[in-house]
Amino acid sequence: MPSLTSHALHDAPALIETVFPVQKVSWEAKLERDSGAGQILPALGSYWKGRKPLILVRAIVLGCLLPCTDDAKADLLVFEKLMGFDRDGLARRALIQQTLKPKDIAARITLDNPWAYFAFNAKNCSLSSDELDALKFPVDLDDVGLSIRWDRHTSDEQKIQLIAEALDTYPDYASRAILCKRPEELDQEWLYAPIWSAVNKHFANLGIEAHSHQELVEQLGILRYGQRPRVGDSFCGGGSIPFEAARLGCDVYASDLNPIACMLTWGAINIIGASPERRAEIKQAQIDVAAAVDAEVCELGIEHDFKGNRAKAYLYCLETRCPETGWMVPMAPSWVISKQRDVVAKLVPDVVNKRFDIEIHSGVSKEEMQAAEQGTVQKGRLVYELNGVFYSTSIKSLRGDHKDSEGRNHNRLRAWKLQDFKPIADDILQERLYAIQWITAKSLNEGSRPITFFAAVSEADRRAEHEVESIVAANLAQWQADGLVPDMVIEPGYNTDQPIRERGWTHWHHLFNARGLFYFQCYRNRSLKHPSLAPELEALFSRVIEWNSRLCRWATSSRHENQVNVFSDQALNPFFNFAVRGLPNLENHTVAKTAKNSVVVENSFELHCCEAGSIVSKSDIFITDPPYADAVNYHEITEFFIAWLRKNPPAPFDQWTWDSRRALAIKGSGDDFRRGMVEAYTAMANHMPDNGRQCVMFTHQDAGVWSDMVGIFWAAGLQVTAAWYIATETTSELKKGGYVQGTVTLLLRKRPAGDKAGYRQEILPAVRREVQAQIEQMMHLSDSMAEQHGEPVFNDSDLQMAGYAAALKVLTAFTHVDGEDVTGFTLRPRKKGESTVVDAIVQQAAEAANSVLVPEGLPATTWDKIGGVQRFYLRMLDMETTGASKLDNYQNFAKAFRVEDYTAVLASSKANAAALKQPEHFAARELSDNSELGATWLGRLFIGIQQVRDEVEPQTVVQQISQDLPDFLAVRQNLVDMLRFLEAKCSDTDTREAAELLADRLQNLRALGQ
């Protein structure tokens, strides 16, 4: 350890409070999200959806520790080296990814002696030997039929240099980073080996001498706090913040009210972050448990047929008696079983028993596949054909859905009892096994890739099913008493009402059929008998539970045929047909995979299961991702797991309260939310040093959240110092539509001691000055970096967010505003539609920021005279020319400009491909005086452009504009400015020409003095 001056950086601003490479962090966060199963922590349980990307957490931790120097550009470049975002880091990442091929490099770089680095295959080459010897890059090798590869003598460092030159030819960071491995996927020592001399040189005056992130973090901690930095997270959730902070070398404090969150965080550190030797022990224990369960199942013979084939998946459906015919009718939305192999189920009437047999047919025709798509459940109705007659009955009427006098939902479904695990004879909704997917005995015996087929259910299969049910019936009460199977009641709630209402299930074990209950008690029974590894096996077991429930749908597509886990969405949806996996199909989930490069270095890790306001340990930096307005109801859905794990948990899990404690959970909006959050952040503020920092991340879909969150921090004695907007979320089938895709990242410090009172009329001018100074400083840095490195650091959204932060920095410095104490103001119940001082000042911040952010090519004088939808359209048109297409940009600026309906001017509202309507595409009604846009100057210009495109005489168009605008002479130059802007920015040639023609005519009127 070098000689360091303790607390030398005690009062130094943190890098993240001044500069942050938002666009690069956003792109890297997106790459991590898009990697799906390639992410590290979901191996413990993908059901926790809200984990923030590890790369974002790493950036925040480093940003909070690194100091600012007098050279902001150098600070930024060092930070990018530490993140693997710099030129050399990208080249190293691209080398390992191997997406950038030698032939791609040949086409992009200048190289006089390529054969010093590459070898070639001239088999189909059109060049002579002499031409080959004289070949220079760049060259399109496909044109000459030449293939090349790296020469075996070319070193990695030589390759990295050439790859870096090739990457330099790509237009922006995104197009380079997509060719690279993510930093966390690479050997950390190798990736960062070249950076330490530059890092140490940059911080030489501080005495820093580091050769790893862990060493640097510890030294920075000593310089700031006199010790290795301690990072706290009192809403630890899925554990990404404590895990990444620990991996960087920080000491860690973590807490959460929810025991499942605590277990996931514990698992992140102790399983994912375990040493290779410990992980090998854990994996072997998992294999041993799985083998023991497999041996028991094989001995019982409940998964094999008489040929030795073994079940991979069991397909079940509900069944009900039709009130019109008295027949028992199987229920499923579709009878397609496999689209890959054209497998369907067909209903065959059994007249004697007034029910349907179910046959399985493979390799059916296209017409039969289409017919099978229409199952017996369609649009909420039971629909089937019998003897040429179609019958249709509402599912709601079958259940007897109705409301009581107080508006509460009821039906005729029997409430299942504690000892139930399947329907009883008189239940309205019965259940039957209708198909099995088998793995052939031959492929099992040969150990080859499993070969499967689907078959109808035989008598032997039914006997095996009854055998499992008999075992469960005989042992369920004892298993529940021993804590191996749930006996916990399902409490009503937003998510939990559905299984109660739609199936009559009352206890959590009702969500599992006999096979699921039998398999899982086997796993738990054996896992808990490994005392030295019991907590690891228990944590890993939690990820398996959601893979064999009655809430697991059977999914078929051209690429996929398998059962899908419960929390493929964030609800508890019962299905009319579901699937249960056999053990061979479940093993992928019982033995968890762990990632490379995820070892957590030896450090202090403290974990508590408690409310956020009840923390007792100090941290230098708190980084939190709290619940907010659109939060997932984890306090409800995690009861699915708590029910299994709450009895006899191994140490250290036995120290936690195994209950969701719904009443104590901070829920995403309202007065209770604000009070709980103020208590939590006050506790954190009280448990950090005076030079400590807090970073709060929240994804805002509700404009009111801004006001609430700021008021919370204000009342907690914290002052905003910076804000950044990071694109962290990706689109999926679960997130179609207008979802915000970014995370607001607020930086806060303790507010200086003492009271500071102010009034709105004096605060607002100070806000405008601070906003303008902040944005101008950032614009200068961004322009400087663009000149030096080819692309700016910030885009307009970043600058807008910085404007908010600057305003909030001014506002949150006060303890009293307009004579009112801020704590009392924050905790006061809100009236619907009430506008607060925070709302007003945030809006002022937006207006101040946007008055500075004049679109390129539009005079500031014209920008100052327009507002609302006009500013929004021109600002977004300018941003689109830079390639911006994320919907959240449009949402943010629409709020800032107070646009009533921004979607009215959009041609596309796709999350990652949003776009404005071009002037020629607006309909007449959209430009009428009654529309938001039509009543503006810009709307009138759009009409004029459309008329010119339709070959209306330009002079007539100009005359009409002058008549429509009473202040035409006063605003004529502003109209010309806007038309010139449209001429430069619109995508359609005819529209640009029409804008140019109109601008010329209006300009000539001025020149002629008319």
Side-chain angles (χ1 to χ4, degrees), residues 850-867 869-878 897 937-938 941 971-985:
N850 289 309
S851 66
V852 178
L853 296 174
V854 181
E856 182 183 12
L858 187 71
T861 51
T862 295
W863 182 249
D864 289 342
K865 290 184 179 179
I866 62 174
V869 70
Q870 295 185 98
R871 276 194 171 185
F872 172 76
Y873 188 92
L874 297 178
R875 157 66 57 216
M876 301 319 298
L877 186 62
D878 187 40
F897 293 129
W937 300 344
L938 188 61
L941 293 178
V971 304
R972 180 173 50 187
Q973 186 55 47
N974 304 125
L975 300 179
V976 171
D977 294 340
M978 294 165 76
L979 285 166
R980 296 292 186 205
F981 183 82
L982 294 171
E983 174 192 346
K985 303 291 183 178

Coordinates of all heavy atoms in Angstrom, one line a residue, residues 850-867 869-878 897 937-938 941 971-985:
N850 N -34.3 24.4 -21.7 CA -34.6 24.4 -23.1 C -34.5 25.7 -23.8 O -34.3 25.8 -25.0 CB -36.1 23.9 -23.2 CG -36.1 22.4 -22.9 OD1 -35.4 21.6 -23.5 ND2 -37.0 22.0 -22.1
S851 N -34.5 26.8 -23.0 CA -34.2 28.1 -23.6 C -32.7 28.2 -24.0 O -32.4 28.9 -24.9 CB -34.5 29.2 -22.6 OG -33.6 29.2 -21.5
V852 N -31.9 27.4 -23.3 CA -30.4 27.4 -23.7 C -30.2 26.4 -24.8 O -29.3 26.6 -25.7 CB -29.6 27.0 -22.4 CG1 -28.1 26.9 -22.8 CG2 -29.8 28.0 -21.3
L853 N -30.9 25.3 -24.9 CA -30.7 24.3 -25.9 C -31.5 24.6 -27.2 O -32.4 23.9 -27.5 CB -31.2 22.9 -25.3 CG -30.4 22.4 -24.1 CD1 -31.1 21.2 -23.5 CD2 -29.0 22.2 -24.4
V854 N -31.0 25.6 -27.8 CA -31.6 26.0 -29.1 C -31.2 25.0 -30.2 O -30.0 24.7 -30.3 CB -31.2 27.4 -29.5 CG1 -31.8 27.8 -30.8 CG2 -31.5 28.4 -28.4
P855 N -32.2 24.4 -30.9 CA -31.8 23.5 -32.0 C -30.8 24.1 -33.0 O -30.9 25.3 -33.3 CB -33.1 23.2 -32.7 CG -34.2 23.5 -31.6 CD -33.6 24.6 -30.8
E856 N -29.9 23.3 -33.4 CA -28.9 23.7 -34.3 C -29.5 24.2 -35.6 O -30.3 23.5 -36.2 CB -27.9 22.6 -34.7 CG -26.8 23.0 -35.6 CD -25.9 21.9 -36.0 OE1 -26.3 20.7 -35.7 OE2 -24.8 22.1 -36.5
G857 N -29.2 25.5 -36.0 CA -29.8 26.0 -37.2 C -31.0 26.9 -37.1 O -31.4 27.5 -38.0
L858 N -31.5 27.0 -35.8 CA -32.6 27.9 -35.6 C -32.2 29.1 -34.7 O -31.6 28.9 -33.7 CB -33.7 27.1 -34.8 CG -35.0 27.8 -34.7 CD1 -35.8 27.9 -36.0 CD2 -35.9 27.1 -33.6
P859 N -32.4 30.3 -35.2 CA -32.0 31.5 -34.4 C -32.6 31.5 -33.0 O -33.8 31.1 -32.8 CB -32.4 32.6 -35.2 CG -32.5 32.1 -36.6 CD -33.0 30.7 -36.5
A860 N -31.8 31.9 -32.0 CA -32.3 32.0 -30.6 C -33.5 32.9 -30.5 O -34.4 32.7 -29.7 CB -31.2 32.4 -29.7
T861 N -33.5 34.0 -31.3 CA -34.6 34.9 -31.2 C -36.0 34.2 -31.6 O -37.0 34.5 -31.0 CB -34.4 36.1 -32.2 OG1 -34.1 35.6 -33.5 CG2 -33.2 36.9 -31.7
T862 N -36.0 33.4 -32.6 CA -37.2 32.7 -32.9 C -37.5 31.6 -31.9 O -38.7 31.4 -31.5 CB -37.0 32.0 -34.3 OG1 -36.9 33.0 -35.3 CG2 -38.2 31.1 -34.7
W863 N -36.5 30.9 -31.4 CA -36.7 29.9 -30.3 C -37.4 30.5 -29.1 O -38.3 29.9 -28.5 CB -35.4 29.3 -30.0 CG -35.4 28.2 -29.0 CD1 -35.0 28.2 -27.7 CD2 -36.0 26.8 -29.1 NE1 -35.1 27.0 -27.1 CE2 -35.8 26.1 -27.9 CE3 -36.6 26.2 -30.2 CZ2 -36.2 24.8 -27.7 CZ3 -37.0 24.9 -30.0 CH2 -36.8 24.2 -28.8
D864 N -37.0 31.7 -28.8 CA -37.5 32.4 -27.6 C -39.0 32.7 -27.8 O -39.7 32.9 -26.8 CB -36.8 33.7 -27.3 CG -35.3 33.4 -26.7 OD1 -35.1 32.2 -26.3 OD2 -34.5 34.2 -26.8
K865 N -39.5 32.9 -29.0 CA -40.8 33.3 -29.2 C -41.8 32.2 -29.4 O -43.0 32.4 -29.6 CB -40.9 34.2 -30.5 CG -40.2 35.6 -30.3 CD -40.4 36.5 -31.5 CE -39.7 37.8 -31.3 NZ -39.8 38.7 -32.5
I866 N -41.4 31.0 -29.4 CA -42.3 29.8 -29.6 C -42.2 29.0 -28.3 O -41.4 29.2 -27.5 CB -41.9 29.0 -30.8 CG1 -40.5 28.4 -30.7 CG2 -42.1 29.8 -32.1 CD1 -40.2 27.4 -31.8
G867 N -43.2 28.1 -28.2 CA -43.2 27.2 -27.0 C -44.0 26.0 -27.3 O -44.4 25.7 -28.5
V869 N -45.9 22.7 -28.3 CA -45.7 21.7 -29.3 C -44.7 22.2 -30.4 O -44.1 21.3 -31.0 CB -47.0 21.3 -29.9 CG1 -47.6 22.4 -30.7 CG2 -46.9 20.0 -30.7
Q870 N -44.6 23.5 -30.7 CA -43.7 23.9 -31.7 C -42.2 23.7 -31.3 O -41.4 23.1 -32.0 CB -43.8 25.4 -31.9 CG -45.2 25.8 -32.5 CD -45.3 27.3 -32.9 OE1 -45.1 27.7 -34.0 NE2 -45.6 28.1 -31.9
R871 N -41.9 24.0 -30.0 CA -40.6 23.7 -29.5 C -40.3 22.2 -29.5 O -39.2 21.7 -29.9 CB -40.4 24.3 -28.1 CG -40.0 25.7 -28.1 CD -39.5 26.1 -26.7 NE -38.9 27.4 -26.7 CZ -38.3 28.0 -25.6 NH1 -38.2 27.3 -24.5 NH2 -37.8 29.2 -25.7
F872 N -41.3 21.5 -29.1 CA -41.2 20.0 -29.1 C -40.9 19.4 -30.5 O -39.9 18.7 -30.6 CB -42.5 19.4 -28.5 CG -42.5 17.9 -28.6 CD1 -41.8 17.1 -27.7 CD2 -43.2 17.2 -29.6 CE1 -41.8 15.7 -27.8 CE2 -43.2 15.8 -29.7 CZ -42.5 15.1 -28.8
Y873 N -41.6 19.9 -31.4 CA -41.4 19.3 -32.8 C -40.1 19.7 -33.3 O -39.3 18.8 -33.9 CB -42.5 19.8 -33.7 CG -42.5 19.1 -35.1 CD1 -43.3 18.0 -35.3 CD2 -41.7 19.6 -36.1 CE1 -43.2 17.3 -36.5 CE2 -41.6 18.9 -37.3 CZ -42.4 17.8 -37.5 OH -42.3 17.1 -38.7
L874 N -39.7 20.9 -33.2 CA -38.4 21.3 -33.8 C -37.2 20.7 -33.0 O -36.2 20.4 -33.6 CB -38.3 22.9 -33.8 CG -39.4 23.6 -34.7 CD1 -39.2 25.1 -34.6 CD2 -39.3 23.1 -36.1
R875 N -37.3 20.6 -31.7 CA -36.3 20.0 -30.9 C -36.1 18.5 -31.3 O -35.0 18.1 -31.6 CB -36.6 20.1 -29.4 CG -36.0 19.1 -28.5 CD -34.5 19.3 -28.4 NE -34.1 20.6 -28.0 CZ -33.0 21.2 -28.4 NH1 -32.2 20.6 -29.3 NH2 -32.7 22.4 -27.9
M876 N -37.2 17.8 -31.4 CA -37.1 16.4 -31.8 C -36.7 16.2 -33.2 O -36.0 15.2 -33.5 CB -38.4 15.7 -31.5 CG -38.9 15.8 -30.1 SD -37.6 15.6 -28.8 CE -37.1 13.9 -29.1
L877 N -37.1 17.1 -34.1 CA -36.6 17.0 -35.5 C -35.1 17.1 -35.6 O -34.4 16.4 -36.3 CB -37.3 18.0 -36.3 CG -37.1 18.0 -37.8 CD1 -37.6 16.7 -38.4 CD2 -37.7 19.2 -38.6
D878 N -34.6 18.0 -34.8 CA -33.1 18.2 -34.7 C -32.5 17.0 -34.1 O -31.4 16.5 -34.6 CB -32.8 19.5 -33.9 CG -31.3 19.8 -33.9 OD1 -30.7 19.7 -35.0 OD2 -30.8 20.2 -32.9
F897 N -41.9 20.5 -22.3 CA -42.6 21.6 -23.1 C -44.1 21.7 -22.9 O -44.8 22.4 -23.6 CB -42.3 21.4 -24.6 CG -40.9 21.5 -25.0 CD1 -40.2 20.6 -25.7 CD2 -40.2 22.7 -24.6 CE1 -38.9 20.7 -26.1 CE2 -38.8 22.8 -25.0 CZ -38.2 21.9 -25.7
W937 N -48.0 28.7 -35.4 CA -47.3 29.1 -36.7 C -46.8 27.9 -37.4 O -46.9 27.8 -38.7 CB -46.1 30.0 -36.3 CG -46.3 31.2 -35.6 CD1 -47.5 31.9 -35.4 CD2 -45.4 32.0 -34.9 NE1 -47.4 33.0 -34.7 CE2 -46.1 33.2 -34.4 CE3 -44.0 31.9 -34.7 CZ2 -45.4 34.1 -33.6 CZ3 -43.4 32.9 -34.0 CH2 -44.1 34.0 -33.4
L938 N -46.2 26.9 -36.7 CA -45.7 25.8 -37.4 C -46.7 25.0 -38.1 O -46.5 24.5 -39.2 CB -45.0 24.9 -36.3 CG -44.2 23.7 -36.9 CD1 -43.0 24.2 -37.8 CD2 -43.6 22.9 -35.7
L941 N -47.5 26.7 -41.3 CA -46.4 26.4 -42.3 C -46.5 25.0 -42.9 O -46.2 24.8 -44.1 CB -45.0 26.6 -41.6 CG -44.7 28.1 -41.2 CD1 -43.3 28.1 -40.5 CD2 -44.8 29.0 -42.4
V971 N -44.1 38.7 -37.3 CA -43.5 37.3 -37.1 C -43.0 36.8 -38.4 O -42.5 35.6 -38.4 CB -44.6 36.4 -36.5 CG1 -45.2 36.9 -35.2 CG2 -45.7 36.0 -37.5
R972 N -43.0 37.6 -39.4 CA -42.6 37.0 -40.7 C -41.2 36.4 -40.7 O -40.9 35.4 -41.2 CB -42.7 38.1 -41.8 CG -42.3 37.7 -43.2 CD -42.6 38.8 -44.2 NE -42.0 40.0 -43.8 CZ -42.3 41.2 -44.4 NH1 -43.0 41.2 -45.5 NH2 -41.7 42.3 -44.0
Q973 N -40.2 37.1 -40.0 CA -38.9 36.6 -40.0 C -38.8 35.3 -39.2 O -38.0 34.4 -39.6 CB -37.9 37.6 -39.4 CG -36.4 37.2 -39.5 CD -36.0 36.9 -40.9 OE1 -36.2 37.6 -41.8 NE2 -35.3 35.7 -41.0
N974 N -39.6 35.2 -38.2 CA -39.6 34.0 -37.4 C -40.1 32.8 -38.3 O -39.6 31.7 -38.2 CB -40.5 34.1 -36.2 CG -40.1 35.2 -35.3 OD1 -40.9 36.1 -35.0 ND2 -38.8 35.3 -34.9
L975 N -41.1 33.1 -39.1 CA -41.6 32.1 -40.1 C -40.5 31.7 -41.0 O -40.4 30.5 -41.3 CB -42.8 32.6 -40.8 CG -44.1 33.0 -40.0 CD1 -45.2 33.5 -40.9 CD2 -44.6 31.9 -39.2
V976 N -39.8 32.6 -41.5 CA -38.7 32.3 -42.4 C -37.7 31.4 -41.7 O -37.2 30.4 -42.3 CB -38.0 33.6 -42.9 CG1 -36.7 33.3 -43.7 CG2 -39.0 34.4 -43.8
D977 N -37.3 31.8 -40.5 CA -36.3 31.0 -39.7 C -36.8 29.5 -39.6 O -36.0 28.6 -39.7 CB -36.1 31.6 -38.3 CG -35.5 33.0 -38.4 OD1 -34.8 33.3 -39.4 OD2 -35.6 33.7 -37.4
M978 N -38.1 29.3 -39.3 CA -38.6 28.0 -39.1 C -38.6 27.2 -40.4 O -38.3 26.0 -40.5 CB -40.0 28.1 -38.5 CG -40.0 28.6 -37.1 SD -41.7 29.1 -36.5 CE -42.3 27.5 -36.1
L979 N -38.9 27.9 -41.5 CA -38.9 27.2 -42.8 C -37.5 26.8 -43.2 O -37.3 25.8 -43.8 CB -39.5 28.2 -43.9 CG -41.1 28.3 -43.8 CD1 -41.5 29.5 -44.7 CD2 -41.7 27.0 -44.3
R980 N -36.5 27.7 -42.9 CA -35.1 27.4 -43.2 C -34.7 26.1 -42.4 O -34.0 25.3 -42.9 CB -34.2 28.5 -42.9 CG -34.4 29.8 -43.7 CD -34.1 29.6 -45.2 NE -34.2 30.8 -45.9 CZ -34.4 30.9 -47.2 NH1 -34.5 29.8 -47.9 NH2 -34.4 32.1 -47.8
F981 N -35.2 26.1 -41.2 CA -34.8 24.9 -40.3 C -35.5 23.7 -40.9 O -34.8 22.6 -41.0 CB -35.4 25.2 -38.9 CG -35.0 24.1 -37.9 CD1 -33.8 24.1 -37.3 CD2 -35.9 23.1 -37.6 CE1 -33.5 23.1 -36.4 CE2 -35.6 22.1 -36.7 CZ -34.4 22.1 -36.1
L982 N -36.7 23.7 -41.3 CA -37.4 22.6 -41.9 C -36.7 22.2 -43.2 O -36.5 21.0 -43.5 CB -38.9 22.9 -42.2 CG -39.7 23.1 -41.0 CD1 -41.1 23.6 -41.4 CD2 -39.8 21.8 -40.1
E983 N -36.3 23.2 -44.0 CA -35.5 22.9 -45.2 C -34.3 22.1 -44.9 O -33.9 21.2 -45.7 CB -35.2 24.2 -45.9 CG -34.3 24.1 -47.1 CD -33.7 25.5 -47.6 OE1 -34.2 26.5 -47.1 OE2 -32.8 25.5 -48.4
A984 N -33.6 22.4 -43.8 CA -32.4 21.7 -43.5 C -32.6 20.3 -42.8 O -31.8 19.4 -43.0 CB -31.5 22.6 -42.6
K985 N -33.7 20.1 -42.1 CA -33.8 19.0 -41.3 C -34.8 17.9 -41.8 O -34.7 16.7 -41.4 CB -34.3 19.4 -39.9 CG -33.4 20.4 -39.2 CD -32.0 19.8 -38.8 CE -31.2 20.9 -38.1 NZ -29.9 20.3 -37.6

